[in-house]
Amino acid sequence: MTGLAACMLGTATLADAAPAAPRPEIVERDTRGRASSVRIDGQVYKVCSAQVADSCINPRQAGLNFGNQPLNRWPEKSSKAKK
């Protein structure tokens, strides 16, 4: 058996690694047409916004295409802070 074939035997496919994220069902929209409530796996959640900040789900976490995106790295200190 070649090294590549031996290596491939021990790997899992991407589908095995993580199940697909559940798709949200929009239950209610606000006056701007954005989702304000979503149903995920049978549970209804309010979507966080400027008006709703407690007991809510972040839009991106709910699978919606709006809201803040998480940082991919921690911001470095500015040059002013280093002085």
Side-chain angles (χ1 to χ4, degrees):
M1 185 178 301
T2 66
L4 180 61
C7 181
M8 290 179 70
L9 284 175
T11 61
T13 64
L14 185 59
D16 294 335
R23 297 198 47 93
E25 175 189 345
I26 297 173
V27 177
E28 186 179 359
R29 293 183 183 270
D30 63 12
T31 56
R32 297 183 324 182
R34 288 190 167 177
S36 59
S37 294
V38 294
R39 181 179 293 120
I40 301 174
D41 290 335
Q43 181 73 31
V44 176
Y45 301 94
K46 290 286 186 186
V47 177
C48 296
S49 66
Q51 294 78 29
V52 179
D54 292 330
S55 301
C56 58
I57 188 168
N58 292 318
R60 298 267 178 197
Q61 188 179 10
L64 301 170
N65 195 21
F66 66 92
N68 294 333
Q69 294 191 12
L71 297 174
N72 61 359
R73 65 177 177 79
W74 189 257
E76 296 179 23
K77 293 181 181 178
S78 66
S79 59
K80 291 181 182 179
K82 292 180 183 178
K83 291 182 181 181

